[in-house]
Amino acid sequence: MTEVLGWASSFVLLLTISKQVYKQWKSGTSEGVSKWLFIGQTTASVGFTLYSILVRNWVFVVTNALLLVSAIIGGAIVIKHRRAARRGASRREQARPARAAHA
């Protein structure tokens, strides 16, 4: 019963985090999401995964390894969205002088 509780809790946590990362990707924006969230989550997940391996708790090994994957994906999405926003802003700035010259 203890293992079932652990695996069920792991599933709920992973589902919740995955849903948030998917929503962030699908929306096309990471506005309001701090890159430090993913840096912290990555660091903690690496530590917790290693700790879980050392104490041989496979529920936590799997959970923390998958949380590490979600942190990496979430962080990559933030980077992608921020780069796209900078490119868009740069293009808008370059287009302004061209329009002013034609006026």
Side-chain angles (χ1 to χ4, degrees):
M1 191 61 175
T2 304
E3 289 291 310
V4 171
L5 178 61
W7 286 111
S9 298
S10 175
F11 177 75
V12 170
L13 176 61
L14 292 168
L15 186 65
T16 303
I17 298 295
S18 298
K19 176 73 174 162
Q20 185 59 43
V21 170
Y22 176 77
K23 182 179 176 185
Q24 175 189 347
W25 172 73
K26 190 76 171 165
S27 72
T29 182
S30 294
E31 191 172 328
V33 178
S34 171
K35 68 179 179 184
W36 293 104
L37 169 70
F38 296 104
I39 291 169
Q41 183 184 353
T42 298
T43 303
S45 292
V46 166
F48 280 130
T49 301
L50 293 173
Y51 170 79
S52 300
I53 290 168
L54 292 171
V55 298
R56 292 185 165 90
N57 186 317
W58 303 114
V59 171
F60 287 133
V61 169
V62 171
T63 301
N64 287 301
L66 291 174
L67 286 173
L68 175 59
V69 170
S70 76
I72 292 167
I73 292 170
I77 291 169
V78 168
I79 291 167
K80 179 181 183 254
H81 287 165
R82 300 242 164 102
R83 285 182 181 164
R86 281 194 300 269
R87 280 193 303 269
S90 176
R91 286 184 189 135
R92 285 189 297 275
E93 296 225 353
Q94 289 173 354
R96 267 190 217 135
R99 279 190 233 141
H102 291 105

